[in-house]
Amino acid sequence: MGEYGVAPGQRVAIIWDSSSPVEALKDLVDKIQALVGADNRVSVENVNQLAQSAHRESSFDVILSGVVPGSTAQHSAEVLAEIARILKPGGRVLLKEPVVTESGNNSRIKTAAKLPTALTLSGLVEVKELQKDVLTPEEAQSVREHLGYQGNDLLLVQIEGRKPNFEVGSSSQLKLSFAKKPGPSGKPSVDPATAKLWTISANDMNDEEMDLLDSDELLDSEDLKKPDPSSLRASSCKEMGKKKACKNCTCGLAEELEQEKKSSQPKSACGNCYLGDAFRCASCPYLGMPAFKPGEKILLKENQLHDA
């Protein structure tokens, strides 16, 4: 196994970003090319264009991302998922990424604790941190330029993970048999104790140890009383604070309001109704009736009930 865990004959993908120095990237590609052989086994991809590169599933044995000296690449969840997709089952990914020691306002940079979690959530296994170093002045400057982070709590973490020995998202049918094992006679065997537990015979019904409940004894005298109709009536709209009956009123509020309307005195608009016709309005319900004392109750016909 050579440097970066690369062996001859393996297919390798090198992922870079805009922060990767060109000469350092070229030197890395030449080094990996010499390790694996010269049969176009090394692919170089930009981290932002990885999903558009149209690599088939399980294309690479090893993927190196962010390992270009001076690189400060960040790996989003989409990038990590794509890495897991194009990695062969059992394949290995090695990446470097600058992290912060504590979560801050810069959401683009992960914490040291969240980076392994991100790899695991992408479908990788055996995720482990290999190295953690303080950034060089050049790397810190690159983070400030490309990520806009001005803090001094940065570390450069090298981490690896492997793809499981199966495709991400693959499924396999479990061979489960629920058939009962046959007994000596060829028929499915039944546990005698289980059979006895779930069997009730006529003799069991006469067993003194078996208590049978009389359903009539479950009801007491209060249960047999006919309920008072008023107790079955739902709370009226009036009791609920409503002043107007519902369209299909069943609580009695509509009848109550109608009764109140019939028994109520019409309201006088002028206050002179009791003095007689000479003082009454043209629409006064008391027209044609003799004068009466103020406050005296006057019975009107239903067709006369309207506001004066």
Side-chain angles (χ1 to χ4, degrees):
M1 189 73 67
E3 190 176 359
Y4 299 108
V6 175
Q10 290 184 325
R11 289 207 63 197
V12 180
I14 299 175
I15 301 175
W16 61 281
D17 76 325
S18 58
S19 66
S20 303
V22 177
E23 288 300 322
L25 173 62
K26 184 177 182 301
D27 291 342
L28 177 63
V29 172
D30 293 340
K31 184 183 294 185
I32 299 300
Q33 191 75 61
L35 290 172
V36 300
D39 296 332
N40 295 324
R41 294 187 172 274
V42 178
S43 295
V44 181
E45 301 291 347
N46 182 277
V47 67
N48 297 319
Q49 301 297 323
L50 183 61
Q52 286 74 40
S53 59
H55 288 295
R56 296 186 349 185
E57 292 182 356
S58 304
S59 297
F60 299 99
D61 299 286
V62 179
I63 295 179
L64 307 176
S65 183
V67 300
V68 178
S71 174
T72 57
Q74 291 289 303
H75 302 84
S76 64
E78 292 76 14
V79 169
L80 292 174
E82 181 65 13
I83 288 176
R85 186 187 72 83
I86 63 177
L87 196 62
K88 291 182 180 180
R92 176 174 172 270
V93 57
L94 175 69
L95 63 82
K96 283 185 178 182
E97 182 172 325
V99 298
V100 292
T101 55
E102 295 181 1
S103 180
N105 297 327
N106 194 320
S107 59
R108 295 183 59 187
I109 303 180
K110 305 179 188 68
T111 62
K114 288 185 178 180
L115 182 57
T117 302
L119 268 70
T120 302
L121 292 176
S122 69
L124 300 175
V125 297
E126 299 180 27
V127 177
K128 58 183 178 181
E129 184 180 296
L130 301 179
Q131 194 172 341
K132 186 186 294 182
D133 299 315
V134 178
L135 271 68
T136 64
E138 293 77 12
E139 290 169 338
Q141 179 63 28
S142 178
V143 170
R144 287 191 287 270
E145 291 179 358
H146 295 90
L147 303 179
Y149 187 75
Q150 304 299 324
N152 297 318
D153 58 340
L154 288 169
L155 296 172
L156 187 62
V157 173
Q158 181 172 311
I159 193 168
E160 74 169 357
R162 293 184 181 276
K163 184 173 180 177
N165 289 320
F166 52 83
E167 284 296 346
V168 175
S170 62
S171 61
S172 177
Q173 184 176 1
L174 298 177
K175 296 181 180 180
L176 299 177
S177 176
F178 296 97
K180 297 180 179 179
K181 296 181 179 179
S185 62
K187 296 182 179 180
S189 60
V190 179
D191 184 3
T194 304
K196 183 179 180 180
L197 180 65
W198 291 99
T199 302
I200 297 179
S201 66
N203 295 330
D204 293 328
M205 305 302 290
N206 298 323
D207 192 344
E208 295 180 356
E209 296 181 358
M210 177 172 287
D211 295 330
L212 297 179
L213 295 177
D214 185 353
S215 59
D216 292 334
E217 294 180 357
L218 299 177
L219 301 176
D220 56 26
S221 58
E222 292 295 326
D223 296 324
L224 299 176
K225 288 183 179 180
K226 185 177 180 180
D228 184 0
S230 62
S231 66
L232 303 178
R233 180 180 175 184
S235 301
S236 68
C237 297
K238 190 173 184 180
E239 293 171 346
M240 298 295 289
K242 294 185 177 180
K243 297 181 179 180
K244 184 178 180 182
C246 304
K247 183 178 181 181
N248 299 318
C249 180
T250 58
C251 69
L253 180 59
E255 292 83 353
E256 186 177 343
L257 294 177
E258 183 67 23
Q259 187 64 30
E260 289 179 0
K261 181 178 178 182
K262 290 181 179 180
S263 61
S264 64
Q265 284 286 95
K267 183 180 179 182
S268 174
C270 63
N272 299 325
C273 301
Y274 71 96
L275 296 175
D277 284 350
F279 299 92
R280 291 169 181 161
C281 306
S283 60
C284 182
Y286 296 104
L287 281 175
M289 298 181 66
F292 54 87
K293 296 179 181 180
E296 183 181 356
K297 186 174 182 180
I298 306 298
L299 297 179
L300 300 175
K301 295 183 180 179
E302 186 175 349
N303 59 2
Q304 291 179 297
L305 292 176
H306 54 76
D307 289 343

PDB file of all heavy atoms in Angstrom, residues 245-258:
ATOM      1  N   ALA A 245     -79.690  32.246  18.191  1.00  0.00           N
ATOM      2  CA  ALA A 245     -79.843  30.805  18.012  1.00  0.00           C
ATOM      3  C   ALA A 245     -79.216  30.355  16.696  1.00  0.00           C
ATOM      4  O   ALA A 245     -79.157  31.108  15.716  1.00  0.00           O
ATOM      5  CB  ALA A 245     -81.322  30.434  18.032  1.00  0.00           C
ATOM      6  N   CYS A 246     -78.756  29.110  16.676  1.00  0.00           N
ATOM      7  CA  CYS A 246     -78.207  28.528  15.444  1.00  0.00           C
ATOM      8  C   CYS A 246     -79.327  28.283  14.440  1.00  0.00           C
ATOM      9  O   CYS A 246     -80.506  28.276  14.785  1.00  0.00           O
ATOM     10  CB  CYS A 246     -77.484  27.218  15.760  1.00  0.00           C
ATOM     11  SG  CYS A 246     -76.178  27.363  16.992  1.00  0.00           S
ATOM     12  N   LYS A 247     -78.943  28.030  13.204  1.00  0.00           N
ATOM     13  CA  LYS A 247     -79.925  27.814  12.144  1.00  0.00           C
ATOM     14  C   LYS A 247     -80.788  26.606  12.449  1.00  0.00           C
ATOM     15  O   LYS A 247     -82.012  26.653  12.299  1.00  0.00           O
ATOM     16  CB  LYS A 247     -79.208  27.650  10.800  1.00  0.00           C
ATOM     17  CG  LYS A 247     -80.158  27.491   9.628  1.00  0.00           C
ATOM     18  CD  LYS A 247     -79.377  27.381   8.317  1.00  0.00           C
ATOM     19  CE  LYS A 247     -80.318  27.246   7.139  1.00  0.00           C
ATOM     20  NZ  LYS A 247     -79.576  27.106   5.856  1.00  0.00           N
ATOM     21  N   ASN A 248     -80.174  25.521  12.849  1.00  0.00           N
ATOM     22  CA  ASN A 248     -80.903  24.298  13.187  1.00  0.00           C
ATOM     23  C   ASN A 248     -80.840  24.084  14.696  1.00  0.00           C
ATOM     24  O   ASN A 248     -80.321  23.083  15.184  1.00  0.00           O
ATOM     25  CB  ASN A 248     -80.320  23.087  12.446  1.00  0.00           C
ATOM     26  CG  ASN A 248     -80.414  23.237  10.943  1.00  0.00           C
ATOM     27  OD1 ASN A 248     -81.429  23.695  10.433  1.00  0.00           O
ATOM     28  ND2 ASN A 248     -79.363  22.860  10.238  1.00  0.00           N
ATOM     29  N   CYS A 249     -81.372  25.035  15.453  1.00  0.00           N
ATOM     30  CA  CYS A 249     -81.254  25.023  16.911  1.00  0.00           C
ATOM     31  C   CYS A 249     -82.002  23.832  17.501  1.00  0.00           C
ATOM     32  O   CYS A 249     -83.168  23.574  17.174  1.00  0.00           O
ATOM     33  CB  CYS A 249     -81.812  26.326  17.477  1.00  0.00           C
ATOM     34  SG  CYS A 249     -81.717  26.413  19.282  1.00  0.00           S
ATOM     35  N   THR A 250     -81.324  23.085  18.376  1.00  0.00           N
ATOM     36  CA  THR A 250     -81.943  21.931  19.049  1.00  0.00           C
ATOM     37  C   THR A 250     -81.898  22.082  20.562  1.00  0.00           C
ATOM     38  O   THR A 250     -82.396  21.206  21.275  1.00  0.00           O
ATOM     39  CB  THR A 250     -81.210  20.635  18.651  1.00  0.00           C
ATOM     40  OG1 THR A 250     -79.825  20.742  18.995  1.00  0.00           O
ATOM     41  CG2 THR A 250     -81.344  20.361  17.157  1.00  0.00           C
ATOM     42  N   CYS A 251     -81.287  23.147  21.059  1.00  0.00           N
ATOM     43  CA  CYS A 251     -81.129  23.299  22.504  1.00  0.00           C
ATOM     44  C   CYS A 251     -82.270  24.089  23.137  1.00  0.00           C
ATOM     45  O   CYS A 251     -82.331  24.235  24.356  1.00  0.00           O
ATOM     46  CB  CYS A 251     -79.797  23.977  22.827  1.00  0.00           C
ATOM     47  SG  CYS A 251     -79.721  25.714  22.345  1.00  0.00           S
ATOM     48  N   GLY A 252     -83.183  24.629  22.320  1.00  0.00           N
ATOM     49  CA  GLY A 252     -84.324  25.357  22.857  1.00  0.00           C
ATOM     50  C   GLY A 252     -84.159  26.854  22.886  1.00  0.00           C
ATOM     51  O   GLY A 252     -85.094  27.580  23.258  1.00  0.00           O
ATOM     52  N   LEU A 253     -83.002  27.362  22.491  1.00  0.00           N
ATOM     53  CA  LEU A 253     -82.785  28.808  22.534  1.00  0.00           C
ATOM     54  C   LEU A 253     -83.682  29.538  21.533  1.00  0.00           C
ATOM     55  O   LEU A 253     -84.187  30.623  21.819  1.00  0.00           O
ATOM     56  CB  LEU A 253     -81.319  29.125  22.256  1.00  0.00           C
ATOM     57  CG  LEU A 253     -80.937  30.609  22.273  1.00  0.00           C
ATOM     58  CD1 LEU A 253     -81.240  31.235  23.619  1.00  0.00           C
ATOM     59  CD2 LEU A 253     -79.469  30.805  21.930  1.00  0.00           C
ATOM     60  N   ALA A 254     -83.891  28.921  20.354  1.00  0.00           N
ATOM     61  CA  ALA A 254     -84.734  29.564  19.340  1.00  0.00           C
ATOM     62  C   ALA A 254     -86.159  29.758  19.868  1.00  0.00           C
ATOM     63  O   ALA A 254     -86.758  30.824  19.708  1.00  0.00           O
ATOM     64  CB  ALA A 254     -84.734  28.732  18.069  1.00  0.00           C
ATOM     65  N   GLU A 255     -86.735  28.706  20.513  1.00  0.00           N
ATOM     66  CA  GLU A 255     -88.084  28.811  21.068  1.00  0.00           C
ATOM     67  C   GLU A 255     -88.131  29.835  22.194  1.00  0.00           C
ATOM     68  O   GLU A 255     -89.092  30.593  22.340  1.00  0.00           O
ATOM     69  CB  GLU A 255     -88.542  27.448  21.569  1.00  0.00           C
ATOM     70  CG  GLU A 255     -88.774  26.414  20.484  1.00  0.00           C
ATOM     71  CD  GLU A 255     -87.498  25.719  20.048  1.00  0.00           C
ATOM     72  OE1 GLU A 255     -86.418  26.152  20.510  1.00  0.00           O
ATOM     73  OE2 GLU A 255     -87.585  24.783  19.233  1.00  0.00           O
ATOM     74  N   GLU A 256     -87.073  29.849  22.995  1.00  0.00           N
ATOM     75  CA  GLU A 256     -87.018  30.790  24.115  1.00  0.00           C
ATOM     76  C   GLU A 256     -86.991  32.231  23.627  1.00  0.00           C
ATOM     77  O   GLU A 256     -87.677  33.108  24.167  1.00  0.00           O
ATOM     78  CB  GLU A 256     -85.788  30.483  24.966  1.00  0.00           C
ATOM     79  CG  GLU A 256     -85.694  31.297  26.241  1.00  0.00           C
ATOM     80  CD  GLU A 256     -84.491  30.908  27.080  1.00  0.00           C
ATOM     81  OE1 GLU A 256     -83.927  29.819  26.846  1.00  0.00           O
ATOM     82  OE2 GLU A 256     -84.106  31.705  27.958  1.00  0.00           O
ATOM     83  N   LEU A 257     -86.195  32.481  22.581  1.00  0.00           N
ATOM     84  CA  LEU A 257     -86.130  33.836  22.033  1.00  0.00           C
ATOM     85  C   LEU A 257     -87.452  34.235  21.389  1.00  0.00           C
ATOM     86  O   LEU A 257     -87.867  35.409  21.463  1.00  0.00           O
ATOM     87  CB  LEU A 257     -84.987  33.927  21.016  1.00  0.00           C
ATOM     88  CG  LEU A 257     -83.572  33.772  21.578  1.00  0.00           C
ATOM     89  CD1 LEU A 257     -82.549  33.802  20.445  1.00  0.00           C
ATOM     90  CD2 LEU A 257     -83.263  34.866  22.594  1.00  0.00           C
ATOM     91  N   GLU A 258     -88.120  33.261  20.753  1.00  0.00           N
ATOM     92  CA  GLU A 258     -89.411  33.546  20.121  1.00  0.00           C
ATOM     93  C   GLU A 258     -90.454  33.903  21.173  1.00  0.00           C
ATOM     94  O   GLU A 258     -91.272  34.808  20.982  1.00  0.00           O
ATOM     95  CB  GLU A 258     -89.854  32.331  19.298  1.00  0.00           C
ATOM     96  CG  GLU A 258     -91.145  32.539  18.526  1.00  0.00           C
ATOM     97  CD  GLU A 258     -91.008  33.572  17.422  1.00  0.00           C
ATOM     98  OE1 GLU A 258     -89.867  33.808  16.972  1.00  0.00           O
ATOM     99  OE2 GLU A 258     -92.031  34.132  17.008  1.00  0.00           O
TER     100      GLU A 258
END
